Amino acid sequence: ILPTIRVYEDNAGCIALVKNRNHASIRRTKHMDIRYFFVRDIFKQNIIDVIKVESKLQYADILTKALSPQLIVDILNSSKYLV
């Protein structure tokens, strides 16, 4: 048995789409192709767990956004969510 993979997410809408099938945002996703709900399926199977993190601790932002040098230092010095 493999351990559950932790996915750290700072977007509340994304978390709601994965965790809560009855959330109001689900009704607005009728146009989405079924393949995009793969993440919901693997969440239900306990393959992944989606965990809310503050935006300032979202490590992926270092690779995807232009951040101030101080924010980069703050993220790198924070070890709260490092595995």
Side-chain angles (χ1 to χ4, degrees), residues 21-76:
R21 189 175 177 97
N22 297 320
H23 191 267
S25 63
I26 299 298
R27 288 176 276 183
R28 295 190 299 261
T29 61
K30 288 189 226 178
H31 67 282
M32 291 177 68
D33 193 305
I34 191 72
R35 64 185 169 183
Y36 296 115
F37 291 104
F38 170 74
V39 175
R40 184 184 297 160
D41 294 337
I42 62 174
F43 174 77
K44 288 179 187 175
Q45 297 169 20
N46 291 321
I47 295 172
I48 66 166
D49 186 21
V50 181
I51 301 167
K52 173 75 170 143
V53 295
E54 297 176 46
S55 292
K56 66 182 180 179
L57 296 176
Q58 183 57 280
Y59 298 126
D61 285 352
I62 293 175
L63 303 172
T64 61
K65 296 180 181 176
L67 303 175
S68 70
Q70 184 58 49
L71 188 53
I72 293 172
V73 169
D74 291 346
I75 289 172
L76 294 175

Side-chain angles (χ1 to χ4, degrees), residues 8 54 57 59 77-83:
Y8 298 102
E54 297 176 46
L57 296 176
Y59 298 126
N77 286 335
S78 169
S79 61
K80 182 177 180 181
Y81 295 105
L82 288 178
V83 177

